[in-house]
Amino acid sequence: MKFDTPAGANPTDRMQVLGKPLDRYEARLKTTGTATYAYEYKDVAPNAAYGYILGAAIAKGRITAIDTTLTEAAPGVIGVVTYRNAGKPGVGKFYVQKMLAAPEVDHYHQPVAVVVAETFEQARAASALIRVDYARTDGRYDLAAQKGSAPVPPQGEFGGPNEKRVGDFEPAFAAAAVKVDETYTVPDQAHAMMEPHATIAKWDGERVTCWTSIQQMNWGTRDLGLILGIPKANVRLISPFIGGGFGGKGTVQMDLALAAISARVVGRPVKIALQRPIMFNTTIHRPKTIQRVMLGAGRDGRLTAIGHESWSGNLPGGRTEPTVASTRTFYAGPNRLTRMRLATLDLAEGNAMRAPGEAPGLMALEIAMDELAEKLGMDPVQLRVVNDTQVDPEDPSKPFSTRPFIQCLREGAEQFGWDRRNAKPGQVREGRWLIGMGMAGAIRAGKIAKSGARARLDGKGIITIEADMTDIGTGSYTVVQQTAAEMMGVAPDSIVVKLGDSTFPETPGSGGQQGAPSVTAGVYAACVKLREAVAQRLGFNSAEVDFSDGRVKSGNRSVPLADAAKGGDLLVEDVMEFDKLKDQFQQQTFGAHFAEVAVDAYTGVVRVRRALAVCAAGRILNAKTARSQVIGGITMGIGAALMEEMAIDQRFGFFVNHDLAGYEVPVHADVPHLDAFFIDEVDPTISPVKAKGVGELGLTGVAPAIANAIYNATGVRVREYPITLDKHLEGLPAIA
Amino acid sequence: MRLFTYERAKTPAEAARAVAGQPGAKFLAGGTNLIDLMKLEIETPTHLVDVQDLKLDRIEQTGEGGLKIGALVSNTALASDARVRRDYGVLARAIVAGASGQLRNKATTAGNLLQRTRCPYFYDTNMPCNKRKPGSGCAAIAGYSRQLAVIGASDQCIATHPGDMAVALRVLDATVETVNAAGEPRAIPIADFHRLPGATPHIDTNLAPGELITAVTLPRPLGGRHVYEKVRDRASYAFALVSVAAVIQWDGTGRVAFGGVAHKPWRIEAAEAAMPQGAAAVTTSLFADAKPTHDNAFKVPLATRTLAAVIAEGNAA
């Protein structure tokens, strides 16, 4: 099915099942510990051996010698895989990292060897017996030091051009009545998902099957095929449950590549879970950015000049962190400059983490807007209202498909009690606590991509949906179930959902918050086809048929749906493809985030007291899972604002705090009452289901709202995340 | 993890003999720190002597009106004991400020005193660390040192004692009771229990090889207001940047010890005379010899400000 004109009325508009706060489809499995995760499979490969990765002890240089004699003689050891016997692993299409030091070492903890043994303990113990000699060379680990020589790179596959101009920025900025010109930094951040990357790999001749934890099956099969040098068709990935990903499991990481390579070398299935420190220094992460934001406005608050320049670093060939993406579309303003520069760094690869670009970009832009509001003497909500635009500010011929941003701002302000905020910072005190309120706007691309699904109706009236979509804790199973139930007019318990197998019809998977809109559009297409097949089998004229209450009705005739499969199951498959609408409309999701913080006037400790998000993302497919996505995003935003930073040792070139003790993410005590509400809207330009994603929107804008609240509490502006107490301690009230 | 042998001792003296008699042997109690370190090969004992059967898990009144806490009393049991909560509030508060509920259920009183530093370079076996590998150097001094010591450190080591409980014990003037392989008891004042790193940062305490902690004794209750204030970036499950254990009397006099700043709980009794004059008067002498790094210089003013908050809350109450 091709989607090329805005959607009209269709069965998803009934909203009898869609939109409802249905419990998760797999809730029972997860709450009883019976959902099987990649490393836990026992029966699929009972003879699987355990792989343990030895990471490089240096950040840059080369291996001059490896002695594995002691390791090979150690109890239980089956084999040792290094660059010498691994073949020549290729590189996938999305990540540039190399899976093995071969023998050049590109970054700290890059895998040097995999020890394969009968037990995990044997593999781990034996890995410590490998003797590796390195020739260490100087590396580049400091973005600030490389900033001056970082070029504007050529355009990559994602994120648009690295430099873009509209109007004439420099003179407009110079002439602006009110200006902000500040530099902000967002540090390297880790996905720090709960489940580590893990894989069991099993070969059958030239074909490999991997039980793994991966967000995007289509990229995974492609990239593993490239890495192993085998056709994509010879790769099967199975990943029904994923314990968090946040982009860190987008496609093939070391567990998957090295389990498959090791299994090929030792001739036995191999299972590998990445050790936590290996995850921090070896898998992808959100790279540090230094961002200069220049805003010029008239006294009325209208922006006349918007400039956003950003620096990030990466391994050679790696991508730019597209921080300026949101600045290009968020606010009106005739003169615009956005530019991204990319340095080469010898740290682990920087790549996608939840809302890549927008999340760190808005961490800078939305503080700058707060600073501008203060200079103007204008309410920060009102500043955003006066700079709203209903057309793409870079291309006014392109309207936003929907943009209820002002509604998000106003409803958020109302619900939060924004009018109680004292605009003058440092004024509100409760005992030892300084109290502040802050807000920020949020914008995140509402993407959608080609997505397939298969639907089978059996004689009991059960409809089984299959797609290679994944569920990383987001609720994919549930929204697929609801879409199919709505389309077929049956109760949700008549729907069986099977996801996470690359042999199922292709979807874009979980990433870029396009999973839910895409897969539900594919399910829509498959269900339209199934309805036609049912109608035909039952002898109805399909144009006049109604599917509801588990029955198929037309005129006076009403037949149980299950009857259509009496003569054998009905099986259909379709793909939803998208055409020119995404070029005709600027399709985005919006939000307004509000936060109240308390800052200890003595110690500078910051605690978030409450936070609220009002979001607009088209049709909300499940009120509960969507809300959970957003409050989960706020939680992650609390981490970004207050504590998350991978600290770099500039001498040794690595992330020092490489475990969950050193890299702090919020715990329960950090997370107060959170609320999330959605604007009641549909986006008919996105798909027949009219829904956009919410998962990344929920994070975008949270950290700057908290940063602005901290400033409102203390009067000390911190422009370097995370906002830890040492950064504003000196500016706090003097103690008695 | 390296291979090791294992036994369960029946009496304290037997346990002490077993460890003293075999180089590379270690006691195992709750294992919440040791087992983690063994997995990473930071600790590589050849033999473990499990002390869980030693029946050292009771809290008893002493003849002097204090409490004797068995070495194997869990952190949870200690923090929830009614006598501790009533008379030694600073101790109960310090314990519940640390770790997590699950860890406190398993961790013991003696084990808590013996927990090793959380310096990130100690934890990464690719890095030089004099505490882990004597003579290899200290990566932390010129490295990432935000969490690390500002006072009492040496050019060999700037690690901190990571615990909370010991800071409270220090302010309470607790005594560590031990027994050696010969069955001889010894009482070590808490002030002398942990060491400064000096030239031997691999030695955390003044326990002799094989010397086993059997109990921690608290003197008579001090009265006063008991406070444990722990400052950290994350609201729970994080080690202190700075912590303050204080017992403040109603006339403004009191005792104070700091955690998160040194290789041992940091207390100088002479400085406490200035308590009635306010926090800065105390910390000026307490931290007179501070030598912070660029990363952790904030800890010195933070210590003053944290103590000021503790004092101010008392005045307000």
Side-chain angles (χ1 to χ4, degrees):
Chain A
M1 183 177 281
K2 191 159 238 176
F3 183 71
D4 50 12
T5 53
N10 68 55
T12 64
D13 296 327
R14 294 189 288 193
M15 296 287 280
Q16 288 171 351
V17 185
L18 271 175
K20 297 285 183 285
L22 229 65
D23 287 345
R24 281 170 198 262
Y25 177 82
E26 76 286 16
R28 183 177 296 270
L29 294 178
K30 284 188 174 162
T31 52
T32 55
T34 48
T36 306
Y37 289 82
Y39 203 67
E40 301 175 326
Y41 285 95
K42 302 263 192 292
D43 51 340
V44 298
N47 62 335
Y50 289 79
Y52 190 87
I53 294 172
L54 177 73
I58 63 165
K60 186 70 182 163
R62 67 197 311 270
I63 299 165
T64 54
I66 305 182
D67 182 355
T68 58
T69 316
L70 290 173
T71 307
E72 282 160 30
V77 171
I78 299 162
V80 181
V81 179
T82 69
Y83 75 93
R84 294 182 303 203
N85 62 353
K88 282 214 181 300
V91 175
K93 277 202 167 153
F94 192 55
Y95 302 152
V96 298
Q97 62 194 3
K98 297 189 184 73
M99 301 296 170
L100 272 174
E104 287 75 23
V105 176
D106 302 320
H107 56 83
Y108 189 70
H109 270 169
Q110 185 176 30
V112 165
V114 182
V115 179
V116 181
E118 296 291 345
T119 71
F120 172 79
E121 287 76 12
Q122 288 170 335
R124 181 175 61 190
S127 74
L129 302 175
I130 300 177
R131 293 289 160 256
V132 187
D133 294 332
Y134 299 98
R136 194 179 146 179
T137 53
D138 290 338
R140 295 150 292 186
Y141 314 117
D142 185 357
L143 178 62
Q146 301 299 322
K147 186 173 168 257
S149 56
V152 177
Q155 183 170 348
E157 190 182 352
F158 300 92
N162 284 304
E163 180 166 343
K164 228 171 157 182
R165 288 173 175 276
V166 174
D168 200 353
F169 172 77
E170 284 84 356
F173 182 66
V178 183
K179 285 181 233 187
V180 169
D181 180 358
E182 295 291 352
T183 298
Y184 308 85
T185 60
V186 179
D188 296 280
Q189 295 175 340
H191 304 81
M193 72 296 278
M194 205 183 303
E195 182 204 23
H197 303 78
T199 298
I200 299 173
K202 180 181 175 183
W203 287 85
D204 180 12
E206 292 302 306
R207 309 174 73 85
V208 66
T209 302
C210 299
W211 291 264
T212 188
S213 186
I214 192 168
Q215 294 174 225
Q216 289 156 241
M217 292 285 170
N218 54 352
W219 286 10
T221 48
R222 175 196 71 192
D223 293 341
L224 189 58
L226 290 169
I227 289 164
L228 298 174
I230 62 174
K232 174 179 171 167
N234 287 5
V235 175
R236 182 180 179 193
L237 302 179
I238 298 171
S239 194
F241 300 109
I242 296 170
F246 308 118
K249 296 171 178 170
T251 178
V252 180
Q253 289 280 278
M254 289 70 187
D255 60 308
L256 183 45
L258 294 178
I261 289 169
S262 300
R264 187 159 66 180
V265 170
V266 302
R268 244 174 90 170
V270 169
K271 62 194 291 186
I272 293 178
L274 295 188
Q275 304 99 276
R276 191 63 68 171
I278 292 283
M279 291 169 64
F280 281 85
N281 275 289
T282 286
T283 69
I284 61 159
H285 69 284
R286 190 196 304 284
K288 174 175 177 164
T289 48
I290 299 172
Q291 303 177 49
R292 181 181 178 193
V293 179
M294 293 163 281
L295 301 177
R299 300 262 170 223
D300 59 359
R302 287 179 195 280
L303 290 162
T304 52
I306 303 175
H308 190 169
E309 196 165 12
S310 176
W311 290 261
S312 60
N314 217 332
L315 291 169
R319 62 183 223 148
T320 312
E321 177 66 18
T323 46
V324 305
S326 35
T327 307
R328 288 175 175 167
T329 47
F330 208 1
Y331 298 116
N335 303 292
R336 318 173 72 91
L337 165 63
T338 47
R339 182 161 54 207
M340 294 181 283
R341 296 179 182 277
L342 182 64
T344 302
L345 291 179
D346 300 302
L347 295 165
E349 180 171 0
N351 207 302
M353 176 165 145
R354 199 175 191 176
E358 279 104 330
L362 286 183
M363 286 169 80
L365 179 69
E366 289 296 290
I367 294 186
M369 286 293 280
D370 201 62
E371 301 203 53
L372 180 63
E374 188 180 34
K375 285 192 173 179
L376 287 161
M378 193 174 206
D379 186 278
V381 171
Q382 186 59 22
L383 176 63
R384 286 156 175 98
V385 169
V386 302
N387 286 294
D388 187 51
T389 172
Q390 293 296 312
V391 295
D392 183 337
E394 291 190 337
D395 177 5
S397 70
K398 200 170 172 181
F400 284 91
S401 57
T402 70
R403 181 171 162 133
F405 179 48
I406 292 178
Q407 206 180 336
C408 294
L409 290 164
R410 295 214 162 117
E411 288 191 13
E414 167 79 24
Q415 296 211 33
F416 193 72
W418 181 250
D419 57 349
R420 296 200 301 274
R421 169 181 177 266
N422 187 327
K424 192 173 173 200
Q427 301 301 304
V428 182
R429 186 155 179 167
E430 292 178 14
R432 66 189 273 189
W433 297 97
L434 304 168
I435 310 301
M437 289 190 198
M439 60 80 53
I443 181 170
R444 169 68 179 137
K447 292 201 281 185
I448 196 157
K450 178 180 166 185
S451 197
R454 193 179 290 147
R456 176 192 296 270
L457 173 69
D458 71 16
K460 290 178 181 158
I462 300 295
I463 297 154
T464 301
I465 305 289
E466 292 175 341
D468 81 356
M469 178 62 188
T470 54
D471 190 320
I472 58 174
T474 43
S476 309
Y477 280 102
T478 319
V479 296
V480 166
Q481 176 192 26
Q482 287 172 278
T483 304
E486 194 76 82
M487 286 298 294
M488 300 309 297
V490 299
D493 62 6
S494 294
I495 306 292
V496 171
V497 184
K498 295 185 176 174
L499 304 179
D501 186 326
S502 65
T503 60
F504 295 159
E506 182 177 338
T507 73
S510 300
Q513 76 169 14
Q514 64 182 342
S518 302
V519 70
T520 54
V523 170
Y524 176 95
C527 287
V528 167
K529 216 170 189 178
L530 183 60
R531 288 164 63 113
E532 289 166 2
V534 166
Q536 193 184 18
R537 179 77 69 86
L538 295 174
F540 283 97
N541 175 350
S542 67
E544 299 164 15
V545 180
D546 172 57
F547 288 71
S548 55
D549 307 319
R551 301 182 74 83
V552 188
K553 305 168 195 171
S554 186
N556 293 330
R557 191 172 163 221
S558 169
V559 184
L561 177 65
D563 286 4
K566 273 194 174 147
D569 290 1
L570 282 175
L571 178 65
V572 301
E573 183 173 332
D574 204 358
V575 179
M576 182 66 83
E577 292 181 88
F578 300 90
D579 196 14
K580 54 185 191 279
L581 287 175
K582 63 172 88 173
D583 303 321
Q584 291 168 1
F585 293 94
Q586 190 44 268
Q587 295 165 325
Q588 300 277 342
T589 61
F590 296 90
H593 287 280
F594 294 83
E596 180 179 314
V597 303
V599 181
D600 188 326
Y602 287 91
T603 64
V605 158
V606 181
R607 299 290 177 244
V608 179
R609 283 187 152 189
R610 60 192 180 102
L612 164 74
V614 176
C615 297
R619 170 170 283 149
I620 298 306
L621 299 168
N622 178 313
K624 185 191 279 189
T625 57
R627 178 180 183 277
S628 294
Q629 280 287 286
V630 174
I631 63 174
I634 299 173
T635 303
M636 201 169 194
I638 291 172
L642 301 183
M643 61 192 83
E644 292 190 38
E645 174 177 18
M646 293 207 283
I648 301 168
D649 185 308
Q650 298 294 351
R651 304 158 305 162
F652 294 101
F654 76 118
F655 300 120
V656 184
N657 51 340
H658 50 46
D659 57 30
L660 292 179
Y663 184 86
E664 293 180 4
V665 297
V667 295
H668 288 294
D670 294 290
V671 183
H673 183 73
L674 307 177
D675 256 326
F677 299 97
F678 296 96
I679 301 294
D680 187 14
E681 65 155 6
V682 293
D683 188 341
T685 74
I686 195 90
S687 88
V689 187
K690 305 170 187 173
K692 293 180 279 200
V694 299
E696 299 190 341
L697 178 65
L699 167 65
T700 310
V702 176
I706 294 168
N708 294 337
I710 294 169
Y711 172 74
N712 182 244
T714 63
V716 183
R717 181 67 78 177
V718 178
R719 301 184 181 87
E720 187 186 343
Y721 292 97
I723 304 176
T724 47
L725 59 92
D726 45 299
K727 294 176 185 164
H728 57 208
L729 198 62
E730 278 183 16
L732 297 182
I735 53 165
Chain B
M1 191 182 278
R2 306 254 181 101
L3 292 178
F4 59 91
T5 51
Y6 171 90
E7 71 173 287
R8 282 168 86 137
K10 295 283 185 302
T11 69
E14 182 190 314
R17 271 198 302 281
V19 168
Q22 185 169 340
K26 274 195 173 287
F27 299 114
L28 173 68
T32 57
N33 192 203
L34 179 62
I35 301 296
D36 283 354
L37 295 171
M38 287 170 66
K39 289 176 183 174
L40 296 167
E41 298 203 1
I42 294 164
E43 294 273 11
T44 52
T46 54
H47 183 63
L48 288 184
V49 178
D50 191 330
V51 298
Q52 65 175 303
D53 297 334
L54 301 189
K55 300 186 178 63
L56 300 171
D57 57 354
R58 289 174 41 201
I59 304 174
E60 299 164 295
Q61 209 76 38
T62 66
E64 291 73 39
L67 283 183
K68 183 177 176 185
I69 303 156
L72 297 175
V73 171
S74 76
N75 288 176
T76 299
L78 182 55
S80 54
D81 184 274
R83 295 162 292 183
V84 172
R85 291 169 55 128
R86 184 187 64 212
D87 296 330
Y88 305 96
V90 65
L91 178 57
R93 288 178 180 139
I95 291 170
V96 299
S100 67
Q102 287 161 315
L103 286 166
R104 294 193 299 266
N105 287 343
K106 190 74 184 153
T108 65
T109 303
N112 190 318
L113 284 175
L114 296 175
Q115 65 180 305
R116 308 217 62 197
T117 188
R118 302 290 168 151
C119 174
Y121 296 95
F122 176 72
Y123 267 80
D124 189 327
T125 50
N126 290 324
M127 293 293 132
C129 171
N130 288 320
K131 185 178 278 297
R132 175 169 32 77
K133 194 175 175 193
S136 62
C138 173
I141 289 172
Y144 173 64
S145 56
R146 184 166 187 270
Q147 287 278 344
L148 302 177
V150 295
I151 193 160
S154 70
D155 59 2
Q156 304 279 304
C157 180
I158 58 166
T160 51
H161 172 76
D164 297 295
M165 188 190 80
V167 188
L169 292 178
R170 179 71 182 89
V171 91
L172 291 169
D173 276 337
T175 302
V176 181
E177 314 277 349
T178 69
V179 65
N180 67 11
E184 297 159 346
R186 179 158 82 117
I188 309 170
I190 186 75
D192 301 330
F193 183 78
H194 292 108
R195 295 161 57 96
L196 291 179
T200 54
H202 59 291
I203 307 173
D204 291 344
T205 72
N206 283 314
L207 288 173
E211 190 174 9
L212 175 74
I213 299 173
T214 54
V216 172
T217 305
L218 302 179
R220 291 167 57 89
L222 294 166
R225 191 165 60 86
H226 286 229
V227 185
Y228 190 76
E229 180 85 24
K230 183 173 182 179
V231 181
R232 42 187 164 176
D233 297 317
R234 178 158 73 180
S236 180
Y237 202 53
F239 295 97
L241 294 168
V242 163
S243 70
V244 173
V247 177
I248 301 176
Q249 303 299 334
W250 305 113
D251 61 2
T253 62
R255 303 176 174 191
V256 61
F258 285 85
V261 294
H263 202 254
K264 60 191 285 187
W266 196 249
R267 180 181 175 203
I268 299 174
E269 281 80 345
E272 291 166 0
M275 283 285 274
Q277 282 79 58
V282 177
T283 54
T284 300
S285 58
L286 253 177
F287 290 97
D289 296 328
K291 289 192 188 67
T293 65
H294 173 268
D295 283 3
N296 67 20
F298 72 94
K299 284 190 175 191
V300 178
L302 179 62
T304 305
R305 299 183 71 99
T306 309
L307 180 58
V310 167
I311 293 171
E313 290 225 318
N315 295 341

